[in-house]
Amino acid sequence: MRPTVSPTGIERFFGEDEIIVSKTDLKGKITYANEVFLRVAGYTEEELLGAPHNIIRHPDMPRAVFKLLWDQIEAGREIFAYVVNQCKNGDHYWVFAHVTPTFGPDGKITGYHSNRRVPERAAVDKAAGLYKQLLEIEAKASSQKEGMQ
């Protein structure tokens, strides 16, 4: 279950030469988190392993973006996306994420892998504006499902 933490409005940063890495099972539960992920998000390995990846979902992220992401990776395709994540204490950090399915020897998807890099600031500004518009559209919808469409 995701902890309820209010956003602080404080942005965290990580190094240009660092990569945040995580792996999940088919249901999106975290099976691996590298040291950069732990440090930036403010969680311990014990807190993250087995937790749903949406433990770091920031309320400024539109549901539609995650629907698109899941539609792509469940279909066996990779996706690149700008994402704002929420730290354990409510701070946030932006990433340029590359999410891919992991395939077993039989060709079936066995999990998912994500590498996240420092995004370009101009792209973050554009994404933030677009996400705000998407959130407004989602809020006007009669249901969450309709809003994601």
Side-chain angles (χ1 to χ4, degrees), residues 18-76:
E18 293 184 301
I19 300 173
I20 295 174
V21 179
S22 62
K23 295 179 184 181
T24 69
D25 65 14
L26 292 173
K27 301 244 186 234
K29 291 192 178 185
I30 299 170
T31 60
Y32 172 80
N34 75 342
E35 182 276 327
V36 181
F37 185 9
L38 300 174
R39 177 174 44 84
V40 175
Y43 286 95
T44 66
E45 186 176 50
E46 293 76 24
E47 290 171 314
L48 285 182
L49 294 184
H53 207 283
N54 71 1
I55 193 170
I56 59 168
R57 184 180 184 276
H58 193 283
D60 288 348
M61 277 301 299
R63 292 181 183 277
V65 173
F66 289 113
K67 180 183 182 326
L68 173 64
L69 184 147
W70 276 103
D71 287 350
Q72 292 297 306
I73 61 175
E74 286 179 334

Side-chain angles (χ1 to χ4, degrees), residues 79-99:
I79 189 167
F80 292 85
Y82 291 94
V83 178
V84 59
N85 290 318
Q86 184 162 284
C87 304
K88 181 180 178 179
N89 72 345
D91 293 352
H92 68 276
Y93 59 100
W94 280 92
V95 298
F96 181 56
H98 177 214
V99 187

